[in-house]
Amino acid sequence: MSPGPDSRGGPRRVFLHIGLPKTGTTYLQQVVWGNRDRLRAAGLVLPGFGHREHLWAALDLQERPRLARRHPDAPGAWQRLVDEGAGQSADVLITHEFLCGASAAQASRAVASFPGAEVHLVVTARDAASVVSAGWQESVKNGGTVDLDSVLAGKAAGGPEFSMRTWDLAAVLERWTRDLPAERVHLLVMPGAGEPRDLHWRHFAEVLGVDPDEFEAPAEAVNPALGIVQIETLRLVNKHLPPYSAQERGVWIRGYLAEDLLARQPSERGGLPEAYRDRFDAMDRAAARLVAERGFHVLGDLAALTGRRVAGAGRLPGTVTPEELLESAGRLVADIVADVRASTHDVVPRSRGSL
């Protein structure tokens, strides 16, 4: 259980869970938002109306232009969470992976937003090759059209959230930890194959000071990965789609096309070109060295950042054939037609070919 409230008023502890993207953040957020009331009873508050407001707050902290295009209420979201958190006597949790894109100055402002509170930073991590491979896929699921080689050459795959700025663990830690003592920086290494399914949640709960067994965690993986053929199919489809709002991309591209229809297809895991292996090895070593030298609190196996070598073992995007793309696209069109037919209650549209 969390410590008692600060006698001066306001929260005693504030936990800023900043990502990285594709390190089990969706899973952890599903647990905490699904158990929000129970967590409040246990002394931990998630301010705001829900996950989307934490996303807005992450972008608002970074002073993103055109934020109001996402939603008229998006501007000012960071301060709203701060104000609500400041009014709590319980601990406070703010969680969104887009926070890791903040500059050093913006990160300092975030930490300074809670004077008098004990601010903790929670960073979830995995090896760089896996983060980049999954991050590129996520960019495509969100409407991106940039190919993997271009991303690895330094071109953003769909905005700052999908770039090396948010995938480089050492750089993120450098920007975010300058104002925090080492014992308040918690690195949670994402569990690997063969480790307990709920281990990531148990580590997160340990940092938050709650009993993991008192809260329901999903039995199945969330935010499923797609096969390399399906990702290349979706990337080509994205090139022909009209501009969508962020919410529409989430519903129709990520939700409907990717995680519903394409996720049903037989798939083969993608990999990364071996030519980039030295680069990712260097990133992993730099992150592990920084964590060890600074003495950050680590849960999980830090050696796993440099010890796992699975991301490069899959199939490269450039090996996907036109015949495979055609087969995947054919399945996709057939499933869409079936859905349209079902949603119109078998009403056949009139056309010039109708009798």
Side-chain angles (χ1 to χ4, degrees):
M1 301 296 285
S2 65
D6 192 317
S7 61
R8 294 168 293 179
R12 182 179 187 277
R13 299 186 300 176
V14 173
F15 297 95
L16 302 178
H17 174 216
I18 67 168
L20 279 49
K22 308 309 298 179
T23 58
T25 55
T26 301
Y27 165 76
L28 296 176
Q29 289 157 1
Q30 184 170 331
V31 176
V32 296
W33 285 111
N35 292 278
R36 186 183 189 183
D37 291 341
R38 292 183 182 180
L39 286 168
R40 178 181 285 272
L44 180 70
V45 171
L46 283 86
F49 66 78
H51 175 267
R52 185 169 296 276
E53 192 162 21
H54 285 223
L55 183 156
W56 295 347
L59 301 180
D60 187 44
L61 174 69
Q62 297 170 62
E63 302 173 308
R64 294 294 179 81
R66 300 184 294 278
L67 182 57
R69 291 186 180 183
R70 283 184 170 265
H71 192 280
D73 293 336
W78 173 258
Q79 192 59 47
R80 288 198 300 273
L81 296 191
V82 169
D83 291 344
E84 183 178 341
Q88 305 296 325
S89 59
D91 292 341
V92 169
L93 169 64
I94 296 176
T95 170
H96 203 278
E97 58 274 20
F98 286 180
L99 283 166
C100 72
S103 68
Q106 292 161 348
S108 292
R109 182 162 68 88
V111 173
S113 294
F114 300 95
E118 187 180 290
V119 177
H120 291 249
L121 189 74
V122 185
V123 183
T124 42
R126 65 198 290 201
D127 66 280
S130 295
V131 168
V132 173
S133 180
W136 170 69
Q137 181 179 127
E138 192 73 7
S139 76
V140 176
K141 288 165 65 175
N142 282 274
T145 61
V146 177
D147 62 77
L148 181 57
D149 283 336
S150 296
V151 173
L152 295 177
K155 297 180 181 178
E161 290 75 42
F162 304 108
S163 70
M164 290 298 177
R165 180 174 182 80
T166 59
W167 299 336
D168 186 338
L169 175 59
V172 171
L173 288 172
E174 288 281 13
R175 295 197 303 269
W176 269 93
T177 60
R178 60 170 57 180
D179 301 318
L180 291 170
E183 64 270 17
R184 294 192 203 166
V185 178
H186 310 276
L187 185 77
L188 278 58
V189 181
M190 192 173 177
E195 296 187 274
R197 187 181 298 271
D198 65 346
L199 183 60
H200 212 27
W201 160 239
R202 290 185 172 277
H203 287 162
F204 196 40
E206 181 177 336
V207 171
L208 299 177
V210 299
D211 183 350
D213 293 321
E214 293 183 1
F215 307 94
E216 297 177 4
E220 300 298 328
V222 294
N223 200 5
L226 299 183
I228 190 59
V229 173
Q230 289 68 41
I231 278 293
E232 286 294 277
T233 299
L234 182 59
R235 191 170 67 83
L236 293 174
V237 170
N238 288 342
K239 293 181 178 181
H240 299 281
L241 294 175
Y244 286 165
S245 68
Q247 182 175 2
E248 290 172 328
R249 289 196 301 270
V251 171
W252 294 109
I253 303 176
R254 176 192 176 98
Y256 180 60
L257 290 180
E259 296 181 356
D260 184 358
L261 301 187
L262 287 169
R264 302 177 191 173
Q265 297 184 6
S267 63
E268 186 175 1
R269 186 174 60 82
L272 292 173
E274 192 64 28
Y276 294 99
R277 178 60 58 197
D278 288 346
R279 179 181 179 184
F280 294 127
D281 285 350
M283 290 173 62
D284 289 333
R285 288 195 300 270
R289 184 168 56 250
L290 175 65
V291 171
E293 289 176 351
R294 298 279 297 276
F296 297 147
H297 176 217
V298 178
L299 286 166
D301 183 8
L302 183 61
L305 293 182
T306 55
R308 292 176 191 154
R309 290 293 175 260
V310 297
R315 187 173 168 190
L316 302 184
T319 66
V320 176
T321 67
E323 291 77 16
E324 289 174 314
L325 290 173
L326 183 61
E327 172 67 18
S328 177
R331 289 173 178 263
L332 182 63
V333 170
D335 284 341
I336 292 172
V337 170
D339 281 353
V340 171
R341 182 176 183 270
S343 67
T344 55
H345 306 287
D346 296 340
V347 176
V348 178
R350 182 176 298 277
S351 69
R352 286 180 293 179
S354 300
L355 294 178

